[in-house]
DNA sequence: TTGTATGCGTTATCAT
DNA sequence: ATGATAACGCATACAA
């Protein structure tokens, strides 16, 4: 592989000039810039990332830790992060924690050796550990808020509140919320938002769970819904699909007998019978923003704020006025 | 951050000895090894990856390019690759090509600057381009064979043939195959394997498509199945789910009126009504193997062979003998 | 505008 | 078994 030295030689300039011609175009005469560029192209020159990293102290690598990839929910997050990384000439170093706090910590330790900073979507695990980690390295949290640590969160709580509002408008007063994994930060936010708003409106939210966010758990949940409930909100699409399935097998029709909605929107929700009302969570934007925030952090712009990205309800056929009984 | 020099100083030895104490335990006296280790721990020393890469010529990074993450099908691949990477002290640099050959090439170029080698799962794109890339950098292909390039493939063609065998045993003679994306290497393999085996058994395979591997396309396909077909095989789970749905709405019962099976096995296939017979593709193992192969390549062990991982049918309630009419 | 020289943190070579 | 020292390839402070 050709080195900068080779390029400099071929162009008849010094290493320093060659380096500047490539990275500081305005610090060099137009003519030499062209000659260097030409030589670089001709030799197929590629900058040695390691050497560059050694001098600049930047690797150009962004560490991203997600709990799972088995849930397509996270795909847009990765896509968005990748887009932002491309825009900033950096790359994504990905690791999957499998919802295991210990494993997550180990991965974070290992990634941080190579990456300039970390983006973690870590629904479980303690606040203290994250605080401690932030002390040691640039860190942006996703879908979780810990004190004033930099974070990007999709505001599903607010979105879900809006969704609840629609249900209240339709006339529902007894609503079940099938909650997600134990200890989930996002889930706690949603429960709080829902119960607060319901009591304000003279309605009541029955909380089921915590439950694993799976299809099977949804089926189970469909059997233990409070009899009074005329609508049910699910923590995620899998639970919603399970609920839909479970309700179907026990002869309860959606939405005639009971309305159904989910707090995230996997594409399959639009293709079921009936299509399921859901919350559109702009995770791609969240991913982009997280990378942007991280770079701000690295550049010393101390924007340790939480960015909120709004989530909006997508109304489909699974929600309707309650049965008048 | 403490450097190796600091550690050496603290332990009262030279840089060289400190380095050896950490990486070549057998080249150093037991006593000094302990002192160095202790000093390193005390100072919270972390090896600078860039400096190490600069001298060794190895970054310890493995580039992985996948077509999408929206299909959970690929999740186990990433998990497996990550496991193997952990075992070899390396990391995963991931990029998503979105099934776009041009984008894929650009990503590969960018990743290759930082990674020691690439693992590409690239169902589309030309053989020539891959050959050319392999000339320039260590490369392992996944689920695709190009000449003698190193590759790891899940043998879905053979698995599907086995599945077809079961259907033939059940008495089916007219079988529809709903094929996947145009230009897919794996799909071509499967069509060939199916038609060959069918004609040998005096049966007939009707090929539909190519189709995008989506739920919606599956619904569409359910409307254009040949009337004679008593069983249908789908390129993937999404098509199968769409078919199941589409058949249901048009009043055809599975498996009484028609049998259904898929050539991959997303977990939801086990939870539908009826559960759908499918091919279990051990993608996690494929991921592990791909990383292993890449490391062999990097270590100069020229094992440019194709590794095949068998895929086995999982029989569920969606397949049954054909209706006697 | 351009060149010279130094340092980044590590591994490897060659002595001792 | 250990130490001195030379690379590795690049960016940058300083000189010219």
């Amino acid at each position: 592989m050709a080195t900068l030295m080779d390029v400099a030689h071929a162009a008849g300039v010094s290493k320093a000039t060659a380096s500047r011609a490539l990275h500081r175009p305005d610090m060099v005469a137009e003519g030499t810039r062209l000659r260097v560029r030409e030589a670089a192209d001709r030799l197929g020159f590629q900058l040695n990332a390691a050497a560059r990293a050694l001098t600049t102290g930047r690797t150009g690598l962004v560490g991203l830790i997600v709990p799972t990839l088995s849930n397509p929910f996270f795909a847009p997050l990765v896509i968005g992060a990748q887009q932002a990384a491309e825009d900033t000439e950096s790359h994504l170093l990905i690791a999957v924690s499998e919802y295991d706090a210990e494993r997550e910590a180990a991965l974070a330790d290992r990634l941080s050796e190579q990456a300039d900073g970390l983006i973690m979507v870590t629904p479980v695990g303690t606040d203290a550990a994250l605080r401690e980690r932030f002390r040691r390295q640039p860190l942006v949290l996703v879908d979780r808020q810990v004190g004033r640590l930099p974070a990007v969160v999709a505001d599903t709580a607010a979105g879900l509140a809006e969704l609840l509002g629609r249900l209240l408008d339709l006339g529902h007063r007894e609503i079940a919320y099938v909650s997600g994994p134990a200890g989930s930060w996002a889930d706690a936010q949603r429960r709080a938002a829902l119960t607060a708003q319901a009591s304000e409106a003279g309605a009541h939210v029955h909380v089921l769970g915590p439950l694993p966010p799976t299809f099977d758990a949804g089926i189970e949940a469909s059997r233990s819904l409070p009899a009074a409930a005329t609508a049910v909100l699910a923590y995620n699409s899998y639970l919603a699909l399970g609920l839909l399935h479970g309700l179907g097998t026990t002869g309860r029709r959606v939405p005639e007998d009971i309305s159904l909605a989910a707090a995230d929107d996997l594409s399959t929700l639009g293709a079921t019978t009936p299509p399921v009302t859901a919350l559109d969570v702009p995770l791609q934007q969240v991913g982009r923003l997280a990378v942007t925030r991280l770079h701000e952090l690295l550049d010393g712009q101390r924007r340790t704020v939480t960015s909120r990205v709004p989530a909006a309800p997508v109304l489909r056929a699974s929600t309707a006025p309650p049965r008048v009984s």
Side-chain angles (χ1 to χ4, degrees), chain A residues 49-93:
Chain A
R52 186 191 177 86
L54 187 54
T55 52
T56 62
R58 289 265 195 117
T59 63
L61 263 31
V62 171
L64 172 60
I65 301 185
V66 294
T68 180
L69 288 177
S70 301
N71 186 340
F73 176 74
F74 290 105
L77 212 226
V78 177
I79 304 273
Q82 182 181 315
Q83 288 173 350
E86 268 176 65
D87 294 347
T88 54
E89 312 269 77
S90 48
H91 291 287
L92 243 41
L93 220 44

Side-chain angles (χ1 to χ4, degrees), chain A residues 55-308:
Chain A
T55 52
T56 62
R58 289 265 195 117
T59 63
L61 263 31
V62 171
L64 172 60
I65 301 185
V66 294
T68 180
L69 288 177
S70 301
N71 186 340
F73 176 74
F74 290 105
L77 212 226
V78 177
I79 304 273
Q82 182 181 315
Q83 288 173 350
E86 268 176 65
D87 294 347
T88 54
E89 312 269 77
S90 48
H91 291 287
L92 243 41
L93 220 44
I94 299 195
V96 183
S97 70
E98 302 279 4
Y99 289 102
D100 179 330
E102 199 169 334
R103 180 177 168 73
E104 180 181 79
L107 288 172
D109 284 341
R110 299 198 51 222
L111 285 194
S112 62
E113 297 171 21
Q114 306 242 13
D116 292 331
L118 251 42
I119 296 175
M120 297 178 70
V121 20
T122 169
V124 295
T126 70
D127 282 14
L130 292 173
R131 280 216 168 77
E132 166 61 16
R133 186 170 295 285
F134 179 71
R135 282 201 324 106
R136 295 199 314 255
Q137 68 198 229
L139 174 63
V140 172
L141 263 27
V142 167
D143 259 5
R144 171 151 182 185
Q145 236 179 320
V146 175
R148 300 175 49 79
L149 299 198
V152 179
V153 310
D155 205 345
T156 48
L160 205 51
E162 194 180 335
L163 190 46
L164 175 60
R166 308 296 179 91
L167 292 176
L168 293 172
D169 290 348
L170 287 174
H172 294 276
R173 285 299 172 269
E174 298 293 328
I175 294 153
Y177 175 65
V178 179
S179 63
S184 157
W185 179 84
D187 196 45
Q189 300 289 308
R190 299 177 195 177
R191 286 196 307 266
L194 288 178
T195 50
Q197 188 189 2
S199 71
E200 203 171 284
H204 186 226
V205 168
H206 309 260
V207 175
L208 275 72
L211 257 45
T214 64
F215 186 86
D216 289 346
I219 296 182
E220 287 300 319
S222 73
R223 306 212 171 94
S224 43
L225 291 175
T230 59
V232 50
L233 296 173
Y235 170 80
N236 80 346
S237 294
Y238 290 127
L239 282 168
L241 289 169
L243 282 162
L244 183 62
H245 183 81
L247 290 169
T249 58
T250 58
R252 273 184 290 179
R253 293 162 305 164
V254 175
E256 292 82 355
D257 301 325
I258 189 167
S259 284
L260 173 66
D264 71 16
D265 189 17
L266 253 40
S267 59
T268 49
L269 286 192
T272 51
T273 338
V276 178
T277 289
L279 217 53
D280 175 46
V281 183
L283 227 55
Q284 187 162 338
Q285 196 187 335
V286 170
R288 298 192 66 106
L289 227 55
V291 171
T292 306
R293 286 283 166 277
L294 183 58
H295 276 114
E296 288 173 358
L297 214 67
L298 293 174
D299 293 343
Q301 311 171 23
R302 284 212 149 257
R303 294 264 243 116
T304 58
V305 291
T306 295
S307 311
R308 274 177 198 291

